[in-house]
Amino acid sequence: AQTVTQSQPEMSVQEAETVTLSCTYDTSENNYYLFWYKQPPSRQMILVIRQEAYKQQNATENRFSVNFQKAAKSFSLKISDSQLGDTAMYFCAFMKHGSGNTPLVFGKGTRLSVIA
Amino acid sequence: GAVVSQHPSRVICKSGTSVKIECRSLDFQATTMFWYRQFPKQSLMLMATSNEGSKATYEQGVEKDKFLINHASLTLSTLTVTSAHPEDSSFYICSARDSAGIGTGELFFGEGSRLTVL
């Protein structure tokens, strides 16, 4: 079974600064996806960024980028130029590649607070 | 992006009654939908995988007779909490994958339903 570990229950960052959220995972699969989801106070899950394991290039979406280290099974999220609206719970998630009925496995989450 | 609608967003019921939560994919077909449960300040825990036209697959520890799942069409899955008790109070979230975009891996989430059992 796959597991996802987020070792930082809470983090804070000053507005406009950069913050990195950690995530490690354990799997015997070779083909899989990794995700970061954001859950603001509204509780709506929002996809932040996605990485396919077979791609060596780290994914980037505007101010969000990842550091994907496949051998180390590490998938950290870097948020640059932090904004107040980035305040939320952030969940790292794993999904093995396969048919459409494979679910996401989530880490326990990191609560990020952006301070003005 | 694809939209998943969940209803109701909040429901309060008396202990012993049943509550139905609907999850609809509005602009895509979803062969598979997933139901998650989230307790306060905790992560999302998979309850069951709902497959259109067949029985749901439940995770270990989830009572299938208590959490009835029906996926009668490619755009609708329902979760019925039967004989609800206070310990069933939680936030329930459904998610769906566009059948045409399985290769992307992305799941789209509903807004969630907060159930409070008195």
Short mmCIF file of all heavy atoms in Angstrom, two decimals, chain A residues 6 21 34-40 44-50 77 88-93 104 106 110, chain B residues 95 97 105-109:
data_model
loop_
_atom_site.label_atom_id
_atom_site.label_comp_id
_atom_site.label_asym_id
_atom_site.label_seq_id
_atom_site.Cartn_x
_atom_site.Cartn_y
_atom_site.Cartn_z
N GLN A 6 3.44 13.94 5.35
CA GLN A 6 3.73 15.37 5.41
C GLN A 6 4.14 15.65 6.85
O GLN A 6 3.33 15.54 7.76
CB GLN A 6 2.49 16.19 5.02
CG GLN A 6 2.13 16.05 3.56
CD GLN A 6 0.89 16.84 3.19
OE1 GLN A 6 -0.17 16.27 2.92
NE2 GLN A 6 1.01 18.16 3.18
N LEU A 21 6.93 23.37 1.32
CA LEU A 21 6.21 22.35 2.07
C LEU A 21 6.75 20.98 1.67
O LEU A 21 6.92 20.70 0.49
CB LEU A 21 4.70 22.42 1.77
CG LEU A 21 4.03 23.78 1.93
CD1 LEU A 21 2.53 23.66 1.68
CD2 LEU A 21 4.30 24.37 3.28
N LEU A 34 1.79 12.46 -8.77
CA LEU A 34 1.83 13.15 -7.48
C LEU A 34 1.13 14.49 -7.64
O LEU A 34 1.21 15.12 -8.70
CB LEU A 34 3.27 13.36 -7.01
CG LEU A 34 4.03 12.08 -6.69
CD1 LEU A 34 5.53 12.33 -6.65
CD2 LEU A 34 3.56 11.48 -5.37
N PHE A 35 0.45 14.89 -6.59
CA PHE A 35 -0.35 16.12 -6.64
C PHE A 35 -0.15 16.92 -5.36
O PHE A 35 0.14 16.37 -4.29
CB PHE A 35 -1.85 15.81 -6.75
CG PHE A 35 -2.25 14.93 -7.89
CD1 PHE A 35 -2.16 13.55 -7.78
CD2 PHE A 35 -2.73 15.47 -9.06
CE1 PHE A 35 -2.54 12.73 -8.83
CE2 PHE A 35 -3.12 14.65 -10.11
CZ PHE A 35 -3.02 13.28 -9.99
N TRP A 36 -0.36 18.20 -5.50
CA TRP A 36 -0.58 19.06 -4.34
C TRP A 36 -1.97 19.69 -4.51
O TRP A 36 -2.26 20.27 -5.56
CB TRP A 36 0.47 20.16 -4.24
CG TRP A 36 1.74 19.71 -3.61
CD1 TRP A 36 2.88 19.29 -4.24
CD2 TRP A 36 2.02 19.62 -2.21
NE1 TRP A 36 3.84 18.94 -3.32
CE2 TRP A 36 3.34 19.14 -2.07
CE3 TRP A 36 1.28 19.92 -1.06
CZ2 TRP A 36 3.94 18.95 -0.82
CZ3 TRP A 36 1.88 19.72 0.18
CH2 TRP A 36 3.19 19.24 0.29
N TYR A 37 -2.79 19.53 -3.48
CA TYR A 37 -4.10 20.14 -3.44
C TYR A 37 -4.13 21.18 -2.33
O TYR A 37 -3.52 21.01 -1.27
CB TYR A 37 -5.20 19.10 -3.19
CG TYR A 37 -5.66 18.36 -4.42
CD1 TYR A 37 -5.01 17.20 -4.84
CD2 TYR A 37 -6.74 18.80 -5.17
CE1 TYR A 37 -5.43 16.51 -5.97
CE2 TYR A 37 -7.17 18.11 -6.29
CZ TYR A 37 -6.51 16.98 -6.69
OH TYR A 37 -6.92 16.29 -7.81
N LYS A 38 -4.89 22.22 -2.57
CA LYS A 38 -5.11 23.28 -1.59
C LYS A 38 -6.54 23.20 -1.10
O LYS A 38 -7.47 23.02 -1.90
CB LYS A 38 -4.85 24.63 -2.28
CG LYS A 38 -5.24 25.86 -1.49
CD LYS A 38 -5.02 27.10 -2.36
CE LYS A 38 -5.45 28.36 -1.63
NZ LYS A 38 -5.25 29.58 -2.48
N GLN A 39 -6.72 23.30 0.21
CA GLN A 39 -8.08 23.34 0.76
C GLN A 39 -8.21 24.60 1.62
O GLN A 39 -7.80 24.63 2.77
CB GLN A 39 -8.38 22.09 1.60
CG GLN A 39 -9.83 22.00 2.02
CD GLN A 39 -10.14 20.76 2.86
OE1 GLN A 39 -9.38 20.40 3.75
NE2 GLN A 39 -11.27 20.12 2.58
N PRO A 40 -8.81 25.65 1.07
CA PRO A 40 -9.02 26.89 1.83
C PRO A 40 -10.13 26.69 2.84
O PRO A 40 -10.73 25.62 2.91
CB PRO A 40 -9.41 27.90 0.74
CG PRO A 40 -9.99 27.08 -0.36
CD PRO A 40 -9.28 25.74 -0.31
N GLN A 44 -13.32 23.60 -0.22
CA GLN A 44 -13.24 23.12 -1.61
C GLN A 44 -11.81 22.70 -1.93
O GLN A 44 -10.87 23.46 -1.70
CB GLN A 44 -13.68 24.22 -2.57
CG GLN A 44 -13.52 23.86 -4.03
CD GLN A 44 -14.54 22.86 -4.51
OE1 GLN A 44 -15.73 23.06 -4.39
NE2 GLN A 44 -14.07 21.75 -5.06
N MET A 45 -11.64 21.52 -2.45
CA MET A 45 -10.32 21.02 -2.82
C MET A 45 -9.94 21.60 -4.19
O MET A 45 -10.67 21.47 -5.17
CB MET A 45 -10.32 19.50 -2.91
CG MET A 45 -10.57 18.83 -1.58
SD MET A 45 -9.21 19.03 -0.43
CE MET A 45 -8.03 17.87 -1.11
N ILE A 46 -8.77 22.21 -4.25
CA ILE A 46 -8.30 22.87 -5.47
C ILE A 46 -6.95 22.28 -5.86
O ILE A 46 -6.03 22.25 -5.05
CB ILE A 46 -8.15 24.39 -5.25
CG1 ILE A 46 -9.50 24.99 -4.82
CG2 ILE A 46 -7.63 25.08 -6.50
CD1 ILE A 46 -9.39 26.39 -4.27
N LEU A 47 -6.85 21.83 -7.10
CA LEU A 47 -5.58 21.29 -7.57
C LEU A 47 -4.58 22.43 -7.76
O LEU A 47 -4.86 23.40 -8.44
CB LEU A 47 -5.77 20.55 -8.90
CG LEU A 47 -4.50 20.01 -9.54
CD1 LEU A 47 -3.88 18.92 -8.66
CD2 LEU A 47 -4.79 19.46 -10.93
N VAL A 48 -3.42 22.28 -7.15
CA VAL A 48 -2.37 23.29 -7.27
C VAL A 48 -1.40 22.91 -8.37
O VAL A 48 -1.07 23.71 -9.25
CB VAL A 48 -1.61 23.44 -5.93
CG1 VAL A 48 -0.42 24.39 -6.10
CG2 VAL A 48 -2.55 23.92 -4.84
N ILE A 49 -0.94 21.64 -8.34
CA ILE A 49 0.08 21.23 -9.28
C ILE A 49 0.12 19.71 -9.36
O ILE A 49 -0.24 19.03 -8.40
CB ILE A 49 1.45 21.82 -8.87
CG1 ILE A 49 2.43 21.86 -10.05
CG2 ILE A 49 2.02 21.07 -7.68
CD1 ILE A 49 3.62 22.77 -9.80
N ARG A 50 0.54 19.21 -10.51
CA ARG A 50 0.57 17.77 -10.77
C ARG A 50 1.91 17.39 -11.38
O ARG A 50 2.46 18.13 -12.19
CB ARG A 50 -0.56 17.39 -11.72
CG ARG A 50 -0.52 15.97 -12.25
CD ARG A 50 -1.70 15.70 -13.17
NE ARG A 50 -1.73 16.65 -14.26
CZ ARG A 50 -2.84 17.26 -14.66
NH1 ARG A 50 -3.97 17.04 -14.05
NH2 ARG A 50 -2.80 18.10 -15.66
N LEU A 77 6.74 21.17 -2.29
CA LEU A 77 6.06 22.27 -2.99
C LEU A 77 6.67 23.59 -2.55
O LEU A 77 6.76 23.87 -1.36
CB LEU A 77 4.56 22.27 -2.66
CG LEU A 77 3.75 23.46 -3.18
CD1 LEU A 77 3.63 23.40 -4.71
CD2 LEU A 77 2.38 23.50 -2.54
N ALA A 88 -4.13 28.29 3.66
CA ALA A 88 -4.99 27.13 3.44
C ALA A 88 -4.31 25.89 3.99
O ALA A 88 -3.16 25.94 4.42
CB ALA A 88 -5.28 26.93 1.94
N MET A 89 -5.05 24.77 3.94
CA MET A 89 -4.44 23.46 4.17
C MET A 89 -3.91 22.98 2.82
O MET A 89 -4.59 23.14 1.80
CB MET A 89 -5.47 22.47 4.69
CG MET A 89 -5.76 22.58 6.16
SD MET A 89 -4.39 22.05 7.19
CE MET A 89 -4.40 20.28 6.92
N TYR A 90 -2.74 22.39 2.84
CA TYR A 90 -2.16 21.84 1.62
C TYR A 90 -1.96 20.34 1.81
O TYR A 90 -1.33 19.90 2.77
CB TYR A 90 -0.84 22.53 1.29
CG TYR A 90 -1.03 23.93 0.75
CD1 TYR A 90 -1.25 24.99 1.61
CD2 TYR A 90 -1.05 24.17 -0.62
CE1 TYR A 90 -1.46 26.28 1.14
CE2 TYR A 90 -1.26 25.44 -1.11
CZ TYR A 90 -1.47 26.49 -0.23
OH TYR A 90 -1.69 27.76 -0.71
N PHE A 91 -2.50 19.59 0.87
CA PHE A 91 -2.39 18.14 0.92
C PHE A 91 -1.56 17.64 -0.24
O PHE A 91 -1.81 17.98 -1.40
CB PHE A 91 -3.78 17.49 0.86
CG PHE A 91 -4.62 17.74 2.07
CD1 PHE A 91 -5.61 18.71 2.04
CD2 PHE A 91 -4.45 17.00 3.23
CE1 PHE A 91 -6.40 18.95 3.15
CE2 PHE A 91 -5.23 17.23 4.34
CZ PHE A 91 -6.21 18.21 4.31
N CYS A 92 -0.60 16.81 0.08
CA CYS A 92 0.16 16.08 -0.91
C CYS A 92 -0.59 14.78 -1.18
O CYS A 92 -1.14 14.17 -0.25
CB CYS A 92 1.56 15.80 -0.37
SG CYS A 92 2.65 14.88 -1.45
N ALA A 93 -0.65 14.36 -2.42
CA ALA A 93 -1.41 13.15 -2.75
C ALA A 93 -0.70 12.32 -3.80
O ALA A 93 0.02 12.85 -4.66
CB ALA A 93 -2.81 13.53 -3.23
N LEU A 104 -6.99 8.73 -5.06
CA LEU A 104 -5.89 9.50 -4.50
C LEU A 104 -5.66 9.06 -3.06
O LEU A 104 -6.61 8.85 -2.31
CB LEU A 104 -6.20 10.99 -4.52
CG LEU A 104 -6.16 11.71 -5.87
CD1 LEU A 104 -6.62 13.15 -5.71
CD2 LEU A 104 -4.77 11.66 -6.45
N PHE A 106 -3.97 10.57 0.31
CA PHE A 106 -3.56 11.88 0.81
C PHE A 106 -2.63 11.78 2.01
O PHE A 106 -2.73 10.86 2.82
CB PHE A 106 -4.79 12.70 1.21
CG PHE A 106 -5.62 13.16 0.07
CD1 PHE A 106 -6.68 12.40 -0.40
CD2 PHE A 106 -5.35 14.37 -0.57
CE1 PHE A 106 -7.46 12.83 -1.47
CE2 PHE A 106 -6.12 14.81 -1.63
CZ PHE A 106 -7.18 14.03 -2.08
N THR A 110 -0.64 20.07 5.58
CA THR A 110 0.13 21.13 6.24
C THR A 110 -0.71 22.39 6.21
O THR A 110 -1.16 22.81 5.15
CB THR A 110 1.46 21.39 5.51
OG1 THR A 110 2.29 20.24 5.57
CG2 THR A 110 2.19 22.58 6.14
N SER B 95 -15.55 12.91 -5.27
CA SER B 95 -14.66 13.32 -6.34
C SER B 95 -14.89 12.43 -7.54
O SER B 95 -15.38 11.30 -7.41
CB SER B 95 -13.20 13.27 -5.91
OG SER B 95 -12.82 11.95 -5.61
N ARG B 97 -13.47 11.44 -11.75
CA ARG B 97 -12.48 11.56 -12.80
C ARG B 97 -13.19 11.52 -14.13
O ARG B 97 -14.04 10.67 -14.36
CB ARG B 97 -11.47 10.42 -12.69
CG ARG B 97 -10.35 10.46 -13.73
CD ARG B 97 -9.29 9.43 -13.40
NE ARG B 97 -8.58 9.78 -12.18
CZ ARG B 97 -8.50 8.98 -11.13
NH1 ARG B 97 -9.07 7.80 -11.15
NH2 ARG B 97 -7.82 9.36 -10.07
N GLY B 105 -4.95 11.80 -14.77
CA GLY B 105 -4.92 11.44 -13.36
C GLY B 105 -5.71 12.37 -12.46
O GLY B 105 -5.94 12.07 -11.31
N GLU B 106 -6.12 13.52 -12.97
CA GLU B 106 -6.71 14.52 -12.10
C GLU B 106 -8.10 14.11 -11.62
O GLU B 106 -8.91 13.59 -12.37
CB GLU B 106 -6.80 15.86 -12.82
CG GLU B 106 -7.33 17.00 -11.93
CD GLU B 106 -7.30 18.32 -12.65
OE1 GLU B 106 -6.79 18.39 -13.78
OE2 GLU B 106 -7.82 19.29 -12.07
N LEU B 107 -8.34 14.35 -10.35
CA LEU B 107 -9.67 14.18 -9.77
C LEU B 107 -10.28 15.55 -9.53
O LEU B 107 -9.59 16.48 -9.12
CB LEU B 107 -9.59 13.46 -8.43
CG LEU B 107 -9.55 11.93 -8.39
CD1 LEU B 107 -9.52 11.45 -6.95
CD2 LEU B 107 -10.75 11.34 -9.12
N PHE B 108 -11.57 15.66 -9.80
CA PHE B 108 -12.30 16.89 -9.53
C PHE B 108 -13.19 16.65 -8.31
O PHE B 108 -13.85 15.62 -8.20
CB PHE B 108 -13.13 17.28 -10.75
CG PHE B 108 -12.28 17.52 -11.97
CD1 PHE B 108 -12.14 16.51 -12.92
CD2 PHE B 108 -11.63 18.72 -12.16
CE1 PHE B 108 -11.34 16.71 -14.04
CE2 PHE B 108 -10.84 18.92 -13.28
CZ PHE B 108 -10.69 17.91 -14.22
N PHE B 109 -13.21 17.63 -7.44
CA PHE B 109 -13.88 17.47 -6.16
C PHE B 109 -15.17 18.28 -6.08
O PHE B 109 -15.25 19.40 -6.59
CB PHE B 109 -12.96 17.89 -5.02
CG PHE B 109 -11.86 16.90 -4.75
CD1 PHE B 109 -10.70 16.91 -5.50
CD2 PHE B 109 -12.01 15.94 -3.76
CE1 PHE B 109 -9.69 15.99 -5.27
CE2 PHE B 109 -11.00 15.02 -3.52
CZ PHE B 109 -9.85 15.04 -4.28
#
